[in-house]
Amino acid sequence: MGPLRDCKAWQDAGLVLSTTSNEACKMFDATLTQYVTWTNDKSLGGIEGCLSKLHAADPTFTMGHVIANGLVLIGTGSSVRLDKELDSAMKKMMALSESQPLTEREKLHVSALDTFASGRLPKACDIWDKILQDYPTDMLALKFAHDTYFYLGYQTQMRDSVARVYPHWTPNIPLSSYVKGIFSFGLMETNFFDHAEKLASEALAINQSDAWSVHTMAHINEMKADLKNGLTFMKQTENNWKDCDMLACHNYWHWALYFIEKGDYEAALTIYDNHIAPRCMSSGSMLDVVDNCSMLYRLQLEGVKVGDRWNEVIQLTKKHSKDHVLFFNDVHILMSSLGAKDHKTTNELLTTLQELAKAPGEDHELGLAPKLGLPLCQALVEFDNGNYDKTVELLYPIRYQLLQIGGSNAQRDVFNQLLIHAALNCKSKAYQNLARRLLTERDGLRPNSPLTERLLRKASAVHVMG
C-alpha cells in the first residue's frame, strides 16, 4: 500500500473530506484501498482495524460512517430491516450529516447510502453517478455504483459508468491501475472480450496481484470455453491473488468451473474442499456463500454425489433465509436448504419472501418477486421434487428476465444448465425437443464446450430411447 492520504492530500485531489484529523483521512484511504484491492492488509489490522482507528481519530467524521456502513450494506449479508446494529449506525450517520456542514459531494454520498439501505438500488446508482459527473476520481462512488449495477444486472450501466470517467484516472492517481480492471469487467460482461482482455492485461502488467483483473481474465476464458488457457492462467497466477482474501474464494470457484466443464469432477471437488469451503466457512461473506452453493449445485446437476457437504454450508446459509436483500442470494440459499434437505429453512425462505412481496413498497428486489423471484425459487423446488415438466413451465418463460436478478453471465449460467437438465428429464416429447434446441443454441454461442457436448450426447440418447 502506498502512502496514505491526509487531509491536505484529499483536498489537493479535489475530494475534500470534512474532518481536521489527518489520521481519520489516512484510515479512510486505507479502508478504501483494501475495498478496491479485495485484501485485508494485516499490517493495518484489516478493514475492521482501520475503521476502528478511523472512528477513534474522529467519531464525528461523516464520510467515515459512510464507508463503514456502505461496506456492510454492499456486502448484502445485512439489512436495516433485520440488523438493529446496522439500522442504528445508519441513523447515527444521518443525524451526523444533518448536524454539521458538509460538502455537496459528501451530502450526496450520505443520500446514496440511505437510498440503498431502503432497497432503492437503481436510485442509489443514479446518485453515485451524479457524484462522478463532477468528481470523476471519487473511487468510493465509482466502486459502490459498480457493485450495485452488478447486483441489479445492469451490465451496460456498469460498463458505461466507468467508461465516462476512465480518461480522468491518470497514472499518478492512487488506485488508477485498478480502474482498468473495473472497466474491463464491464466490457467483458457486455461481450467486448478483446478490449476487456487488453485492459485487464495492462492492469496486471502494473500490478500482478490485482485479483479483480485476474477475475476478468478468468471470465473471458470461461465465456470462450477456453479450458486450456483458463487452467494454465489460474495455475500460473495463483500465488499473486491467493492472499486477496475477499476475492480468492471466487477466483478458486472460477478455476473449479473449468474442471466441471472438462468433466474432471474430482479436481473440482478438490478445489472445493481445499479452498472454497474453508474460505467460505471462515469469511461467511455472501460472495463466498453463493459460490459455495453454486459449485455444489452444478456438480449435482452433473450427477456428482457431493456427500454431506451441504450440511456444512447450511449452517451459514440458514442465518440468511429471511434476509431477502437480493434474489440472487435467496436462490443460492435455497439451493443449500434443498441440498441439505432442510425443509424448515426452505419453508422459512419461501414464506417470508411471499409475505414481504405482498407490500414491496419501493424495494427494487421485492418488486421483482411475483414475476421473477418466486417462480425461480419454485422452479428449484419442483426440480428437487422430480417435477421436471413443472420446472420447465416455470423457468422457460422467465429465462430472458433472469438477468434482472444480477450476478455475472457465468454465475447465472447455472439456471441455463438447470433448465436444460429439467427439459432432458421431462416426460413431454415437446420439452425433450426443447432441450435439444437449447443445446443447439448453447453450442452455437459458445462452441467447443465439453459440457455442452456431454449434454448433447445425453439428449441424443433420450431421443433414441423416446
Side-chain angles (χ1 to χ4, degrees), residues 317-332:
T317 53
K318 67 183 177 185
K319 297 174 192 167
H320 294 282
S321 63
K322 298 177 186 173
D323 284 5
H324 309 304
V325 176
L326 298 175
F327 276 130
F328 187 79
N329 295 351
D330 283 355
V331 74
H332 284 85

Side-chain angles (χ1 to χ4, degrees), residues 11-298:
Q11 194 173 340
D12 292 346
L15 301 165
V16 175
L17 293 173
S18 297
T19 177
T20 54
S21 165
N22 282 323
E23 176 67 3
C25 281
K26 287 179 177 180
M27 289 301 105
F28 178 87
D29 197 12
T31 305
L32 178 63
T33 301
Q34 290 170 93
Y35 170 38
V36 173
T37 59
W38 297 85
T39 308
N40 276 291
D41 187 328
K42 293 188 181 71
S43 69
L44 291 165
I47 285 178
E48 274 189 40
C50 289
L51 287 173
S52 213
K53 289 174 202 160
L54 186 158
H55 292 317
D58 183 354
T60 64
F61 175 30
T62 300
M63 285 302 289
H65 290 270
V66 165
I67 196 168
N69 293 338
L71 289 175
V72 175
L73 287 166
I74 219 84
T76 72
S78 297
S79 66
V80 290
R81 182 173 56 82
L82 294 178
D83 186 336
K84 298 283 179 286
E85 205 176 306
L86 177 60
D87 187 44
S88 160
M90 284 296 291
K91 283 176 176 152
K92 185 176 181 182
M93 177 193 80
M94 296 306 292
L96 271 177
S97 72
E98 287 155 16
S99 69
Q100 55 186 246
L102 296 178
T103 66
E104 195 54 38
R105 182 181 73 89
E106 290 171 315
K107 286 177 192 168
L108 287 170
H109 265 293
V110 170
S111 170
L113 220 51
D114 185 42
T115 305
F116 184 103
S118 67
R120 293 172 292 160
L121 274 54
K123 177 66 181 158
C125 287
D126 289 345
I127 300 170
W128 283 314
D129 269 333
K130 189 170 191 283
I131 294 172
L132 290 167
Q133 281 175 29
D134 293 323
Y135 302 93
T137 58
D138 185 328
M139 178 56 96
L140 193 63
L142 181 72
K143 190 79 167 68
F144 278 166
H146 186 74
D147 289 355
T148 308
Y149 279 136
F150 176 72
Y151 296 151
L152 289 164
Y154 290 8
Q155 298 170 316
T156 308
Q157 293 92 322
M158 178 175 75
R159 178 196 69 205
D160 295 354
S161 174
V162 189
R164 285 191 291 273
V165 300
Y166 180 69
H168 293 271
W169 284 87
T170 49
N172 58 310
I173 300 173
L175 303 172
S176 61
S177 74
Y178 286 91
V179 179
K180 288 178 182 290
I182 296 168
F183 189 14
S184 75
F185 183 71
L187 287 163
M188 179 278 305
E189 281 294 283
T190 50
N191 302 321
F192 288 90
F193 295 143
D194 293 347
H195 193 176
E197 189 168 349
K198 178 178 177 289
L199 282 180
S201 299
E202 285 174 13
L204 289 166
I206 296 165
N207 184 348
Q208 61 183 19
S209 66
D210 180 347
W212 191 245
S213 291
V214 166
H215 168 248
T216 296
M217 300 294 266
H219 269 271
I220 293 168
N221 289 320
E222 166 69 20
M223 290 295 104
K224 292 179 174 178
D226 189 345
L227 303 189
K228 187 169 178 292
N229 274 338
L231 288 166
T232 305
F233 179 75
M234 297 313 273
K235 193 173 177 29
Q236 284 176 347
T237 59
E238 182 185 11
N239 286 335
N240 302 335
W241 51 260
K242 67 178 183 185
D243 295 327
C244 298
D245 55 296
M246 291 184 270
L247 195 63
C249 178
H250 187 62
N251 281 348
Y252 278 115
W253 177 82
H254 275 282
W255 195 341
L257 279 193
Y258 297 131
F259 284 122
I260 293 180
E261 177 74 55
K262 197 176 168 185
D264 189 345
Y265 306 124
E266 277 307 310
L269 277 171
T270 300
I271 289 181
Y272 176 86
D273 290 335
N274 292 347
H275 299 289
I276 297 171
R279 285 170 186 271
C280 172
M281 298 312 290
S282 157
S283 76
S285 84
M286 288 314 296
L287 175 60
D288 294 354
V289 164
V290 299
D291 284 343
N292 194 316
C293 299
S294 172
M295 181 56 49
L296 292 181
Y297 199 77
R298 287 164 191 252

Side-chain angles (χ1 to χ4, degrees), residues 95 200 225 358 446 465:
K358 287 176 187 171
R446 194 169 166 269
M465 287 191 302

Side-chain angles (χ1 to χ4, degrees), residues 81-82 320-324 330 345-358 366 374:
R81 182 173 56 82
L82 294 178
H320 294 282
S321 63
K322 298 177 186 173
D323 284 5
H324 309 304
D330 283 355
T345 300
T346 297
N347 291 333
E348 200 169 68
L349 186 147
L350 295 173
T351 51
T352 53
L353 178 55
Q354 284 160 348
E355 203 52 45
L356 285 171
K358 287 176 187 171
L366 293 178
L374 287 165

Side-chain angles (χ1 to χ4, degrees), residues 399-435:
R399 66 186 290 242
Y400 287 116
Q401 279 77 56
L402 287 178
L403 176 59
Q404 295 173 49
I405 72 161
S408 67
N409 296 330
Q411 286 175 311
R412 282 190 315 281
D413 189 48
V414 69
F415 305 117
N416 299 326
Q417 293 179 35
L418 172 62
L419 175 59
I420 290 166
H421 279 281
L424 280 172
N425 284 299
C426 282
K427 294 186 177 72
S428 150
K429 289 281 179 286
Y431 284 159
Q432 289 174 13
N433 189 42
L434 172 66

